[in-house]
């Protein structure tokens, strides 16, 4: 089978690494990829947002299956585009159509869906510029912290948690006034939930599902979960506090009703459902849905998945996911993200990365990297994930940390406390 993988981050390197291990994969292409995916297949320098170019590539390389990594092309309708194009009718594509991708692409859509299927989530109300006054009055009634969410995709910046009502009112005005462009034309204001977050992943064929290993990521830049939010500074799998009792609540109250909703509404959804959850006194609530795998969660989830990943993707595409049985490595895995100095604010790209050849006992997943001549250089905020195995996440983290010391580039930073709260 010829496979095209869309994306170019750490998640995609982990996908490519796993796909390459499958005897079912003949040729792998990655668009655009990074310096890591290059070692698993052939990078093609096109934008995944240019659907016509993706189509040409699929036809030229006789691609049988396309795996979409990031949310943007999904929310923008790449799956719908594939279904409309006669020439692509035989090509399998893994990802939801634009309408169900709104589970991630529209907070208001996700909230309505959860309400309809009685899925536990924070209480909420949605507001537009037309009812700004009601929004202000609603904030006045709340006990802070106040959670404001831009309805649409805002590059991970659309959620604001504010301790001060007046500040929340001012932010609501700015958001509805276009602070995040079209993404904040609608704003969801929701109840603040206090607890500990974790991530559950399902792969679905639209009717049934299989669960992948549970993970937890660390989004803040600073140790002890302080400072600005990032795409993710590290991840662990499994998550020690997610025991059988909590997991069975997640499955019964959240996963099954979500898949039931997808099936009942005949949503065109083949691919991953990422449940961003929070446990409040051991009761799980949905913080958000994503319509794709997480990054850096994928860098710990896939190393623990023993299944042939291509077989799993193919089963999802053929409506036969229920025939698969998931096998999980009993070892723990920890991913440590090495980032550019300054990230998540301004940073410089193009720094030469040294010492990669000295890394042992960790898997190097490239994120923001590219090859320039003989060198691998930084090409993004999140540069590399170092994933290690261990009897527990702590031992795995120790291996990743000792390898992180060997990787050098100007300004390199990483958190040393991944898993600190577990
Ligand atoms: P989201 O983009 O919806 O995942 O939100 C980003 C982050 O904001 C989450 O990972 C949580 O840490 C936090 N968050 C979002 N919604 C809530 C909420 N209702 N209560 C507490 N924290 C929240
Ligand atoms: N690590 C969180 C995300 O992928 O959205």
């Amino acid at each position: 089978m010829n496979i095209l993988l869309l994306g170019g981050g750490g998640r995609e390197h982990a996908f490519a690494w796993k796909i390459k291990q499958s005897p079912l994969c003949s040729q792998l292409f990655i668009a655009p990829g990074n310096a890591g995916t290059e070692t698993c297949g052939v990078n093609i320098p096109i934008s995944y947002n240019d659907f016509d170019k993706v189509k040409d590539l699929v036809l030229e390389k006789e691609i049988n299956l396309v795996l979409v990594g990031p949310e943007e092309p999904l929310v923008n309708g790449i799956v719908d585009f594939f279904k409309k194009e006669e020439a692509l009718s035989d090509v399998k594509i893994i990802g939801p159509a634009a309408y169900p991708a709104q589970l991630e692409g529209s907070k208001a859509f996700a909230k309505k869906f959860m309400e309809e299927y009685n899925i536990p989530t924070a209480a909420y109300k949605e507001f537009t510029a037309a009812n700004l006054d009601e929004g202000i009055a609603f904030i006045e009634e709340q006990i802070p912290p106040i959670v404001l969410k831009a309805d649409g995709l805002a590059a991970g910046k659309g959620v604001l948690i504010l301790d001060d009502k007046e500040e929340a009112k001012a932010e609501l005005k700015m958001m509805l006034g276009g602070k995040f462009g079209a993404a904040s034309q609608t704003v969801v204001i929701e109840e603040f939930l206090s607890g500990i977050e974790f991530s559950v992943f399902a792969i679905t064929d639209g009717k049934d599902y299989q669960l992948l290993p549970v993970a937890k990521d660390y989004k803040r830049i600073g140790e002890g979960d302080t400072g600005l939010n990032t795409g993710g500074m590290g991840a662990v799998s499994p998550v020690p506090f997610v025991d059988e009792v909590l997991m069975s609540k997640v499955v019964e109250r959240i996963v099954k009703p979500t898949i039931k909703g997808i099936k009942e509404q005949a949503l065109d959804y083949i691919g991953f459902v990422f449940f961003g959850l929070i446990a409040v006194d051991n009761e799980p609530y949905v913080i958000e849905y994503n319509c794709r795998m997480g990054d850096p969660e994928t860098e710990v989830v896939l190393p623990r998945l023993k299944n042939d990943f291509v077989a799993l993707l193919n089963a999802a595409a053929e409506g036969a996911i229920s025939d698969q049985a998931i096998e999980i490595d009993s070892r723990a895995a920890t991913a440590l993200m090495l980032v550019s100095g300054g990230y998540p604010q301004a940073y410089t790209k193009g720094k030469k990365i040294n010492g990669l050849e000295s890394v042992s006992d960790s898997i190097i997943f490239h994120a923001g990297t590219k090859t320039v001549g003989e060198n691998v250089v930084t090409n993004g905020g999140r540069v590399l994930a170092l994933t290690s195995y261990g009897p527990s996440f702590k031992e795995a983290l120790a291996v990743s940390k000792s390898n992180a010391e060997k990787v050098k580039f100007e300004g390199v930073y990483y958190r040393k406390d991944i898993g600190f709260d577990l």
Side-chain angles (χ1 to χ4, degrees):
M1 193 181 300
N2 292 340
I3 298 177
L4 171 63
L5 168 59
L6 300 180
R11 167 184 50 214
E12 285 75 25
H13 188 191
F15 279 152
W17 169 86
K18 190 74 178 151
I19 288 169
K20 197 187 123 196
Q21 294 168 32
S22 168
L24 298 171
C25 176
S26 331
Q27 291 190 80
L28 173 63
F29 299 90
I30 309 98
N34 59 35
T37 62
E38 223 162 50
T39 64
C40 310
V42 180
N43 282 354
I44 309 278
I46 60 162
S47 161
Y48 48 68
N49 288 315
D50 189 335
F51 299 167
D52 285 315
K53 284 225 173 85
V54 173
K55 173 186 166 189
D56 291 345
L57 179 62
V58 164
L59 296 176
E60 183 196 324
K61 303 295 183 193
E62 300 183 352
I63 299 292
N64 309 103
L65 184 142
V66 179
L67 171 58
V68 186
E71 64 279 12
E72 201 187 349
L74 294 169
V75 171
N76 290 339
I78 193 165
V79 171
D80 310 70
F81 173 87
F82 267 64
K83 301 266 154 90
K84 273 203 325 263
E85 293 284 322
E86 184 74 14
L88 300 176
S89 58
D90 291 337
V91 181
K92 294 168 179 163
I93 179 160
I94 308 294
Y99 182 75
Q102 287 180 92
L103 283 174
E104 173 164 2
S106 163
K107 304 276 187 204
F109 179 93
K111 283 290 190 183
K112 276 192 205 98
F113 181 90
M114 287 186 266
E115 202 164 53
E116 192 174 341
Y117 291 93
N118 253 318
I119 295 167
T121 186
Y124 81 106
K125 274 197 170 164
E126 57 178 273
F127 299 94
T128 62
N131 58 0
L132 171 65
D133 293 346
E134 287 168 46
I136 302 246
F138 185 69
I139 291 175
E140 191 50 48
E141 291 161 19
Q142 306 303 305
I143 302 163
I146 312 280
V147 183
L148 302 179
K149 296 187 171 186
D151 177 53
L153 293 183
K157 298 192 171 68
V159 176
L160 299 176
I161 300 181
L162 302 162
D163 286 322
D164 182 73
K165 284 188 193 178
E166 295 312 313
E167 203 184 331
K169 290 177 196 168
E171 279 294 347
L172 177 66
K173 268 188 214 158
M174 284 194 279
M175 287 171 90
L176 293 175
K179 178 171 180 174
F180 298 107
S184 65
Q185 268 171 13
T186 297
V187 172
V188 165
I189 304 184
E190 69 177 35
E191 170 198 9
F192 179 81
L193 298 174
S194 182
I196 182 159
E197 289 177 60
F198 61 109
S199 307
V200 166
F201 304 94
I203 178 166
T204 183
D205 57 9
K207 309 185 305 269
D208 297 298
Y209 70 91
Q210 297 291 344
L211 286 181
L212 303 177
V214 176
K216 175 165 175 56
D217 80 334
Y218 289 81
K219 290 199 183 72
R220 303 293 198 93
I221 188 75
E223 297 194 348
D225 278 350
T226 54
L228 293 173
N229 253 325
T230 71
M233 296 296 293
V236 302
S237 176
V239 184
F241 72 85
V242 185
D243 56 13
E244 253 175 62
V245 177
L246 179 56
M247 202 54 207
S248 80
K249 290 176 186 171
V250 169
V251 168
E252 295 306 320
R253 299 176 193 171
I254 295 170
V255 178
K256 283 186 180 167
T258 301
I259 303 297
K260 177 174 171 246
I262 288 174
K263 187 177 169 185
E264 245 174 44
Q265 296 188 23
L267 300 180
D268 187 358
Y269 202 127
I270 289 169
F272 301 100
V273 188
F274 169 159
F275 302 87
L277 306 177
I278 188 165
V280 181
D281 296 330
N282 286 317
E283 305 300 327
Y285 292 80
V286 177
I287 289 273
E288 64 167 350
Y289 285 112
N290 293 311
C291 62
R292 39 110 192 145
M293 282 298 290
D295 193 352
E297 290 94 328
T298 305
E299 291 95 302
V300 290
V301 168
L302 289 194
R304 295 191 63 230
L305 183 73
K306 288 196 188 166
N307 297 61
D308 180 324
F309 189 52
V310 176
L312 212 53
L313 296 175
N314 197 48
E318 292 192 332
I321 201 70
S322 60
D323 296 346
Q324 298 283 313
I326 298 294
E327 280 183 76
I328 299 177
D329 192 318
S330 61
R331 290 174 297 174
T334 303
L336 187 61
M337 195 57 91
L338 276 54
V339 306
S340 297
Y343 174 79
Q345 292 176 296
Y347 59 85
T348 326
K349 297 181 186 177
K351 307 287 182 198
K352 182 168 181 268
I353 305 172
N354 292 306
L356 291 174
E357 66 294 338
S358 335
V359 170
S360 54
D361 299 325
S362 290
I363 312 166
I364 304 171
F365 289 123
H366 290 239
T369 68
K370 69 173 180 183
T371 309
V372 176
E374 306 261 284
N375 297 323
V376 176
V377 304
T378 65
N379 193 38
R382 294 191 292 168
V383 176
L384 298 165
L386 295 175
T387 296
S388 315
Y389 294 103
S392 76
F393 76 84
K394 281 188 188 143
E395 282 117 325
L397 177 64
V399 179
S400 290
K401 281 203 287 199
S402 80
N403 280 317
E405 283 170 23
K406 300 175 193 162
V407 179
K408 311 272 186 213
F409 56 89
E410 194 190 314
V412 58
Y413 168 76
Y414 55 92
R415 270 180 68 171
K416 298 188 177 67
D417 70 336
I418 298 306
F420 78 99
D421 52 348
L422 298 176

